[in-house]
Amino acid sequence: MRSKKFRSTLITFGIVIAAFIACQVMISTGAMTRSLKGQLVPICAYVVMAISLNMTVGILGELSLGHAGFMCVGAYLGGYIAIQLSNVIGSKLLVLIISMLAGGVIAAIFGLIVGLPALRLKGDYLAIVTLAFGEIVRTIFKNLDVFGKAMGLRTNTIKYDTRNDTSLYIVAFVVVLIVLFMINNLIRSKHGRAITAIRDNEIAAKAMGINVTFYKLFVFVFSAFFAGVAGVIYAHYITPVQYSVFSYNYSIEILVMVVLGGMASINGSIVSAALITIINFELQSKLSGDLAA
């Protein structure tokens, strides 16, 4: 059984690395269009979001609709920290790494604060609470002067030119590999088996001595951390960072990626996240007005 899971993990890493090599070859030979090249970073960010949400929804079995809220926290606070760091640190790569860690940790703290009371609920009630969290967070950022209020957080000083510079894409791809490594190792560990036991039968898991509250909170915080990291990547990709992006529709879109790829399927989340990101971009570029929304 373990060897089968190990082979599955190797296949996952092989596919992701092969896709990265193919993209690099296309970029170096000029075969990739500028528009598609500009979508490589969002694809990586969506993959991180989909995989991390799959931990909560697919592996743990709890319905959360607040993932966009954690990404919003990472984008605004991580982006703000990066702007301040850029004034004292000359290396954009170092600023990016530090701000990703900071944004992820802050999002994880928010996950802990929300998870402590919310994870006592189940099903639709948990979904409503997490959805409310996402709406509250983006409304707060909308009304704070330090983050530009409705105009958004200006990230010109840290933004990467993704159509001419692939460094942000390379960092985002490395983040995807790290997320895959950590989640696959967690799933194969005794802790992963405890988490899946909670999903399958919570009462039986409690009877076997599994600390259900701890594992639920752990997965929720773990997932929020990587959502915050994805938010920081987004803040380095686009300017301004606007609250309107992180609406409940954004959380639903991430959830659709998870469901479309298959619950608890990491490979499925990767493929669906990449496909939906590309399809959304193509539709928005070809449609106009309300049809593109």
Side-chain angles (χ1 to χ4, degrees), residues 29-40:
T29 57
M32 183 177 290
T33 61
R34 286 174 61 86
S35 60
L36 181 57
K37 187 177 176 182
Q39 289 302 301
L40 294 177

Side-chain angles (χ1 to χ4, degrees), residues 10 33-34 48 70 78 81 112 130 141 151-152 157 160-161 173 186 194 203 211 216-217 225 232 274 287-288:
L10 286 180
T33 61
R34 286 174 61 86
V48 172
F70 296 122
I81 291 171
L112 179 63
T130 52
F141 285 121
M151 297 299 293
T157 56
Y160 284 73
D161 181 9
F173 175 77
L186 175 62
I203 296 175
N211 190 335
K216 281 187 175 183
L217 192 59
F225 173 84
V232 177
L287 299 177
S288 60

Side-chain angles (χ1 to χ4, degrees), residues 182-200:
M182 294 184 69
I183 289 181
N184 275 296
N185 273 278
L186 175 62
I187 293 173
R188 294 201 309 270
S189 68
K190 66 176 183 179
H191 303 293
R193 291 190 291 273
I195 293 167
T196 53
I198 294 171
R199 178 195 65 194
D200 295 337

Side-chain angles (χ1 to χ4, degrees), residues 24 26 32 35 41 53 70 98 118 124 150 163 165 170 196 201 203 205 230-231 234 239 243 245 292:
Q24 289 298 99
M26 291 175 66
M32 183 177 290
S35 60
V41 174
L53 182 60
F70 296 122
I98 294 174
D124 296 341
R163 296 192 178 184
D165 183 6
I170 293 173
T196 53
N201 194 319
I203 296 175
Y234 176 81
T239 186
Y243 75 97
V245 173

Side-chain angles (χ1 to χ4, degrees), residues 52-53 55-57 60 62-67 70 107-119 126-127 129-131 133 186 195 213-227:
S52 59
L53 182 60
M55 275 296 298
T56 302
V57 178
L60 180 62
E62 296 289 350
L63 181 58
S64 171
L65 295 179
H67 224 49
F70 296 122
I109 292 172
F110 272 79
L112 179 63
I113 295 171
V114 174
L116 280 171
L119 289 174
L126 176 61
V129 171
T130 52
L131 179 63
F133 160 74
L186 175 62
I195 293 167
T213 303
F214 168 78
Y215 279 112
K216 281 187 175 183
L217 192 59
F218 170 76
V219 172
F220 200 73
V221 172
F222 189 78
S223 178
F225 173 84
F226 285 115

Side-chain angles (χ1 to χ4, degrees), residues 65-261:
L65 295 179
H67 224 49
F70 296 122
M71 187 179 183
C72 181
V73 170
Y76 270 97
L77 296 180
Y80 181 79
I81 291 171
I83 293 171
Q84 304 307 312
L85 289 175
S86 64
N87 297 324
V88 294
I89 299 177
S91 172
K92 289 188 72 173
L93 177 60
L94 184 58
V95 169
L96 175 59
I97 293 172
I98 294 174
S99 59
M100 281 195 301
L101 291 174
V105 169
I106 295 171
I109 292 172
F110 272 79
L112 179 63
I113 295 171
V114 174
L116 280 171
L119 289 174
R120 298 176 183 272
L121 305 173
K122 295 181 181 180
D124 296 341
Y125 298 104
L126 176 61
I128 292 170
V129 171
T130 52
L131 179 63
F133 160 74
E135 292 299 300
I136 291 170
V137 163
R138 75 188 194 98
T139 302
I140 291 173
F141 285 121
K142 172 189 174 182
N143 292 284
L144 291 178
D145 289 326
V146 69
F147 297 113
K149 300 188 78 170
M151 297 299 293
L153 178 66
R154 297 285 176 179
T155 56
N156 306 70
T157 56
I158 60 172
K159 183 181 180 297
Y160 284 73
D161 181 9
T162 54
R163 296 192 178 184
N164 299 310
D165 183 6
T166 60
S167 54
L168 180 59
Y169 163 58
I170 293 173
V171 172
F173 175 77
V174 172
V175 171
V176 171
L177 290 181
I178 293 173
V179 174
L180 284 174
F181 176 79
M182 294 184 69
I183 289 181
N184 275 296
N185 273 278
L186 175 62
I187 293 173
R188 294 201 309 270
S189 68
K190 66 176 183 179
H191 303 293
R193 291 190 291 273
I195 293 167
T196 53
I198 294 171
R199 178 195 65 194
D200 295 337
N201 194 319
E202 185 175 327
I203 296 175
K206 284 182 180 179
M208 293 299 294
I210 296 174
N211 190 335
V212 174
T213 303
F214 168 78
Y215 279 112
K216 281 187 175 183
L217 192 59
F218 170 76
V219 172
F220 200 73
V221 172
F222 189 78
S223 178
F225 173 84
F226 285 115
V229 171
V232 177
I233 293 173
Y234 176 81
H236 283 76
Y237 164 75
I238 197 168
T239 186
V241 176
Q242 291 187 311
Y243 75 97
S244 57
V245 173
F246 307 102
S247 66
Y248 67 90
N249 287 326
Y250 199 87
S251 290
I252 298 296
E253 189 174 343
I254 304 298
L255 182 62
V256 168
M257 293 177 185
V258 174
V259 175
L260 183 64

